[in-house]
Amino acid sequence: MGLVATFDFDTVADEGLCGAPDETVFAAAQAEGRVLVTQDLDFSDMRRFLPGTHAGIILLRLLNPSRARLSERLLQLFQHRDMELWGGCFVVVTDFKLRVHWPQK
């Protein structure tokens, strides 16, 4: 039987950041060394969020981004990918594709 990883996460609501500016949400995630999981296209500019300059960003771009579908897609990733390798990466997740942009060495 394989090793199952566990992940600690908080939501924007958990952190009391509902309605906060993107910069505040991003800074809070970085202050705790957390990967930011978002649907917000404001975080899609890789020139601004260059891989290796942050703890990591996962941008979800689903055709039907219902809560159920978002949870299902994230669970698929957690079960089938070694997410620990994505620290510092910029990751774009769609319904059928996954693009990992690695920090430059």
Side-chain angles (χ1 to χ4, degrees):
M1 183 177 281
L3 177 66
V4 176
T6 59
F7 294 93
D8 173 45
F9 67 92
D10 285 325
T11 66
V12 172
D14 291 338
E15 293 290 318
L17 294 171
C18 287
D22 292 344
E23 293 78 18
T24 302
V25 173
F26 182 75
Q30 298 316 295
E32 294 190 19
R34 294 183 181 271
V35 173
L36 178 66
V37 179
T38 185
Q39 296 180 85
D40 189 338
L41 287 177
D42 289 344
F43 292 100
S44 66
D45 185 351
M46 281 199 323
R47 294 168 298 181
R48 183 171 169 212
F49 301 103
L50 189 65
T53 64
H54 49 74
I57 296 174
I58 298 175
L59 179 65
L60 295 164
R61 302 302 302 155
L62 305 183
L63 294 173
N64 174 21
S66 66
R67 280 190 178 181
R69 183 64 187 119
L70 289 165
S71 295
E72 178 183 304
R73 187 65 174 115
L74 282 172
L75 186 58
Q76 287 173 341
L77 291 174
F78 293 151
Q79 289 177 338
H80 301 289
R81 302 287 179 168
D82 186 355
M83 308 273 299
E84 295 290 328
L85 298 176
W86 291 354
C89 293
F90 185 92
V91 181
V92 180
V93 177
T94 69
D95 290 282
F96 306 105
K97 292 184 180 179
L98 174 72
R99 289 185 307 246
V100 180
H101 300 273
W102 303 93
Q104 301 231 346
K105 294 187 179 193

